Amino acid sequence: WLRLGDLLLGNNQPEEALTACAQAEKLGAKPADLAVGRSAALIALKRYDEASNLLQAALVGAPQDARLYYNLGRLAESQGRPTDAKTFYARAAELAPDWTLPQQNLKRLAGS
């Protein structure tokens, strides 16, 4: 269900992605995995406060999860806070050095 949520989000269907996340939760998906999927959908829906609250709560239980920091970077960028976005992307890159997305976003932000 989480993968379906990713696919739906990729097809610009964030409401449906939230529904898929709800189904994943019923089936026992891990809280951090749910927070990643839900926050991405909430960001797409411009429900920034909900996304922020969800990500901050998830960090309490999974402080080393690079995906949470990456989504915080996406959230900060969506809100027009590039300095905060760089900080979050840098933390994601530090936690997951082989993951290229945070590094790509850092480079993109450095060029703007």
Side-chain angles (χ1 to χ4, degrees), residues 3-107:
R3 179 69 183 127
L4 175 60
D6 286 343
L7 292 171
L8 289 166
L9 200 52
N11 286 320
N12 198 29
Q13 295 176 287
E15 288 287 353
E16 292 81 355
L18 285 175
T19 301
C21 286
Q23 186 62 35
E25 182 176 29
K26 288 179 188 175
L27 296 172
K30 294 179 184 177
D33 295 338
L34 288 167
V36 170
R38 279 190 173 134
S39 63
L42 291 169
I43 292 166
L45 291 166
K46 298 183 181 183
R47 291 164 53 182
Y48 300 138
D49 288 342
E50 289 177 70
S52 178
N53 292 339
L54 180 64
L55 289 165
Q56 294 298 332
L59 280 174
V60 172
Q64 302 300 310
D65 194 319
R67 301 170 304 162
L68 299 173
Y69 289 98
Y70 178 80
N71 278 10
L72 281 167
R74 292 181 52 217
L75 174 62
E77 234 185 308
S78 296
Q79 293 178 310
R81 299 182 293 122
T83 302
D84 291 339
K86 289 176 191 175
T87 300
F88 291 127
Y89 289 143
R91 181 68 176 138
E94 178 185 322
L95 290 170
D98 294 333
W99 188 20
T100 59
L101 280 176
Q103 295 165 11
Q104 289 170 354
N105 285 345
L106 280 169
K107 287 179 188 174

